Amino acid sequence: MRTTSNPQLRIGLAQVNSGTDPAANLRIIKRHVSDAAARGVDVVVFPEAMMCRFGVPLGEIAEPISGDWARAVDEIASEAGVTVVAGMFTPGDGPRVRNTLLITGPENRTHYDKIHLYDAFGYSESDSVSAGDHLVTAEVKGVTIGFATCYDIRFPAMFQELAAAGADLVVVSASWGAGEGKVDQWTLLARARALDSTTFVAACGQADPAASGEIITGTAPSGVGHSVVCDPSGAVIGQLGSGPDLLVADIDTAAVRRVREALPVLRNRRRIDASMIGSAVPS
């Protein structure tokens, strides 16, 4: 239940590269959760596709949310006493999978299935992935967190709906596609979504494989790094470079209250639909 105080939490964004071996990726999670917990982090966020990177057959990798991989992440989170957010793949419709964020820790065990599929820039995620159909929030240390995945960050209404549902912070896990201007778009979109929703936005992406000397070919999104945390006014309060790293930021929900008092976009917004579009009437 939401209290009248202004709770705070510390979030860590683990900007890493996942490989094609889910067991090896669990070891990456365990190591970075341990490092983050030692720095007093309450929520450790990993990228999208943390279970297995894109570019390989995902149907062979997918497991239910009650499966061994998710249980292993839950054990890591419980042992460290933190909440872990990590991208995985669960069974979808027919041969397709779902692009799922596992959210697990002492206070929660839930998941979010990616709603907006990345059918853009020459890649067709919907060929192998079934879309989710509902928003998800969870509360950690009194802070309500909304969840989004990668391409979702291009859809402002989703972030406003999460804020209307009580979110003070929206976590975005991504494996951002490389390309001209894509890093600038990533940062711009994170800042814009923070302003749209007057929430903190913490966007964690896969590191750029090239920063570690790995070259991945093909159109599958493999990451560009530059994980970022923005405050409700759209200001960047922390950002990484392209390589593997851990970004730690403190979230103070008092800032959300201050910004929403000055900039009440959630209260002022109106529902816009096609029926409101018409020809100008001469006066």
Side-chain angles (χ1 to χ4, degrees):
M1 181 177 294
R2 174 61 62 88
T3 65
T4 57
S5 62
N6 295 304
Q8 304 177 25
L9 62 77
R10 178 166 288 184
I11 190 167
L13 306 187
Q15 180 173 285
V16 299
N17 288 115
S18 60
T20 58
D21 180 358
N25 294 331
L26 283 173
R27 292 192 288 273
I28 294 172
I29 290 174
K30 185 176 180 64
R31 183 169 68 252
H32 284 82
V33 165
S34 178
D35 291 346
R39 295 176 64 177
V41 166
D42 303 300
V43 179
V44 189
V45 182
F46 289 88
E48 175 188 25
M50 192 63 217
M51 184 187 200
C52 177
R53 69 168 175 82
F54 288 108
V56 298
L58 299 175
E60 302 169 7
I61 299 293
E63 294 183 7
I65 204 74
S66 59
D68 291 344
W69 198 86
R71 283 202 302 269
V73 176
D74 183 61
E75 289 173 5
I76 293 169
S78 297
E79 182 178 320
V82 302
T83 295
V84 173
V85 181
M88 64 177 294
F89 298 103
T90 56
D93 301 325
R96 294 189 295 173
V97 302
R98 293 192 188 277
N99 188 340
T100 298
L101 276 187
L102 173 67
I103 302 119
T104 188
E107 297 183 61
N108 296 281
R109 197 173 196 279
T110 187
H111 68 281
Y112 162 69
D113 293 328
K114 185 179 182 182
I115 291 174
H116 300 100
L117 300 183
Y118 183 61
D119 290 353
F121 293 103
Y123 188 74
S124 183
E125 187 177 14
S126 63
D127 286 348
S128 57
V129 177
S130 301
D133 58 9
H134 65 280
L135 303 179
V136 172
T137 64
E139 189 171 293
V140 179
K141 292 189 66 175
V143 177
T144 300
I145 306 172
F147 298 93
T149 301
C150 203
Y151 194 47
D152 286 333
I153 203 171
R154 293 185 181 272
F155 298 88
M158 177 175 175
F159 285 69
Q160 290 193 328
E161 290 298 333
L162 286 167
D168 294 312
L169 163 68
V170 179
V171 163
V172 185
S173 291
S175 185
W176 199 251
E180 184 178 357
K182 293 295 292 298
V183 171
D184 287 341
Q185 290 178 30
W186 167 249
T187 304
L188 174 63
L189 288 162
R191 296 183 68 187
R193 295 300 81 83
L195 271 168
D196 292 337
S197 58
T198 53
T199 63
F200 285 90
V201 169
C204 179
Q206 294 260 355
D208 184 347
S212 300
E214 184 178 5
I215 305 300
I216 298 176
T217 60
T219 60
S222 57
V224 297
H226 294 273
S227 298
V228 61
V229 179
C230 307
D231 74 10
S233 71
V236 172
I237 60 176
Q239 185 168 14
L240 299 178
S242 60
D245 207 344
L246 176 68
L247 174 61
V248 175
D250 291 315
I251 305 299
D252 182 356
T253 60
V256 177
R257 312 290 166 253
R258 289 194 298 270
V259 172
R260 288 182 181 174
E261 182 64 27
L263 182 65
V265 292
L266 296 177
R267 189 167 68 242
N268 292 344
R269 68 181 177 146
R270 296 182 62 194
R271 303 289 179 177
I272 305 297
D273 60 43
S275 68
M276 302 174 73
I277 301 173
S279 301
V281 177
S283 57

